[in-house]
């Protein structure tokens, strides 16, 4: 067992690294253990001194415990990337449905920069249903199941949405071949899926006036989202 001590912050950080080989004798092992204890005591003494405390009032081990802590400690992006934020499992999930049009610039920005990052952090308490209608085929969503949102985000955030479809599919799932998707798009199943999305979109109450259009738990915005109107510099399709 080797140790590397790095500076920075209120106290040094100790990283343990496994090295090749083993100690040659029990005496070397005992000396190594004593050395580790000595280092830990030094770290504890330094951390209890007069060094300035970080602005975040939580220790690093708690930074990804909740979204609120991650925001306060300014590490929400890092927590999102490692998918480390976990929510209270007893809370029923919020069902978010997105009605959108593929190739719509505003829809692409909303998916890649707002909805997908939010879902990545809060998927424990949030489910997302995608309803594309217009310039779209719903076969990938139907065939790929849980991986569908990742594939759609991969496509919508690419420079060329259509050309990105096949590599994005291969990136997130190997169980669905591109030929299967093409068969769905050209066959009756693709038509049936698009007809179902059209029916869902037309059944919205109140009717949608633009896309992207979002509903929560099948209805309009919850009370928490009905605050004062905010002027947004954003286009819609």
């Amino acid at each position: 067992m080797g140790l590397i001590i790095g500076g920075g912050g209120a106290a040094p950080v100790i990283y343990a690294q496994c090295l090749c080989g083993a100690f040659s004798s029990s005496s070397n092992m005992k000396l190594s253990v004593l050395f580790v204890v000595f280092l830990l005591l030094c770290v504890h003494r330094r951390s209890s001194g007069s060094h300035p405390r970080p602005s975040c009032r939580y220790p690093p081990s708690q930074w990804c415990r909740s979204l609120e802590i991650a925001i306060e400690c300014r590490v929400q992006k890092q927590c999102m990337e490692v998918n480390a934020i976990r929510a209270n499992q007893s809370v029923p999930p919020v069902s978010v449905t997105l009605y959108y049009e593929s190739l719509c610039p505003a829809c692409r920005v909303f998916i890649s920069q707002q909805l997908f990052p939010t879902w990545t952090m809060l998927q424990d308490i949030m489910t997302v249903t995608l309803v594309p209608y217009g310039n779209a085929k719903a076969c990938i969503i139907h065939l790929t199941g849980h991986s569908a949102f990742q594939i759609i985000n991969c496509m919508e955030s690419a420079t060329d949405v259509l050309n990105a479809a096949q590599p994005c599919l291969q990136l997130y799932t190997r169980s669905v071949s591109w030929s299967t998707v093409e068969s769905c798009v050209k066959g009756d199943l693709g038509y049936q899926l698009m007809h179902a999305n059209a029916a869902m979109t037309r059944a919205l109450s109140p009717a949608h006036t633009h896309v992207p259009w979002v509903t929560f738990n099948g209805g309009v915005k919850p009370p928490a989202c009905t605050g004062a109107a905010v002027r947004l510099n954003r286009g819609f399709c």
Side-chain angles (χ1 to χ4, degrees):
M1 179 69 73
L3 296 173
I4 299 176
I5 303 179
V13 181
I14 296 182
Y15 300 92
Q17 292 186 332
C18 293
L19 303 178
C20 297
F23 293 102
S24 58
S25 65
S26 59
S27 59
N28 287 337
M29 177 69 76
K30 293 178 181 179
L31 290 175
S32 300
V33 172
L34 291 175
F35 180 65
V36 171
V37 173
F38 173 76
L39 287 176
L40 292 175
L41 290 175
C42 292
V43 169
H44 177 73
R45 181 170 297 179
R46 286 190 60 184
S47 63
S48 60
S50 59
H51 295 279
R53 295 182 179 180
S55 58
C56 176
R57 57 193 175 96
Y58 296 93
S61 61
Q62 301 294 317
W63 283 354
C64 293
R65 183 177 180 181
S66 69
L67 179 61
E68 291 78 11
I69 296 177
I71 293 175
E72 179 178 339
C73 297
R74 299 180 182 180
V75 292
Q76 61 268 33
K77 180 180 179 180
Q78 289 79 0
C79 291
M80 178 191 72
E81 290 175 348
V82 299
N83 194 21
I85 295 180
R86 291 292 180 266
N88 187 350
Q89 297 295 327
S90 64
V91 178
V94 175
S95 176
V96 176
T97 303
L98 172 65
Y99 297 83
Y100 71 103
E101 180 179 334
S102 184
L103 307 181
C104 160
C107 296
R108 296 179 62 187
V109 171
F110 178 73
I111 290 174
S112 61
Q113 297 184 15
Q114 297 185 50
L115 184 59
F116 185 78
T118 301
W119 173 80
T120 302
M121 287 194 297
L122 303 178
Q123 57 184 294
D124 291 333
I125 59 168
M126 175 183 178
T127 61
V128 174
T129 301
L130 301 176
V131 186
Y133 177 54
N135 296 330
K137 300 294 182 181
C139 287
I140 288 181
I141 297 176
H142 174 75
L143 294 173
T144 56
H146 181 70
S147 301
F149 197 11
Q150 294 170 309
I151 298 171
I152 295 301
N153 174 70
C154 176
M155 293 171 57
E156 296 291 350
S157 58
T159 303
D160 190 319
V161 176
L162 298 180
N163 286 336
Q166 185 173 355
C168 287
L169 176 69
Q170 295 174 344
L171 177 64
Y172 288 102
T173 180
R174 297 296 179 90
S175 60
V176 179
S177 65
W178 182 246
S179 59
T180 302
V181 175
E182 287 184 321
S183 298
C184 172
V185 171
K186 298 175 182 178
D188 292 337
L189 178 57
Y191 176 81
Q192 294 171 4
L193 293 172
M194 289 308 302
H195 179 75
N197 284 359
M200 291 177 61
T201 304
R202 293 169 181 169
L204 283 169
S205 180
H208 76 293
T209 57
H210 54 264
V211 288
W213 188 266
V214 180
T215 63
F216 297 87
N217 294 333
V220 296
K221 293 185 295 184
C225 298
T226 56
V230 177
R231 184 177 180 179
L232 300 177
N233 185 17
R234 182 184 305 160
F236 295 98
C237 298

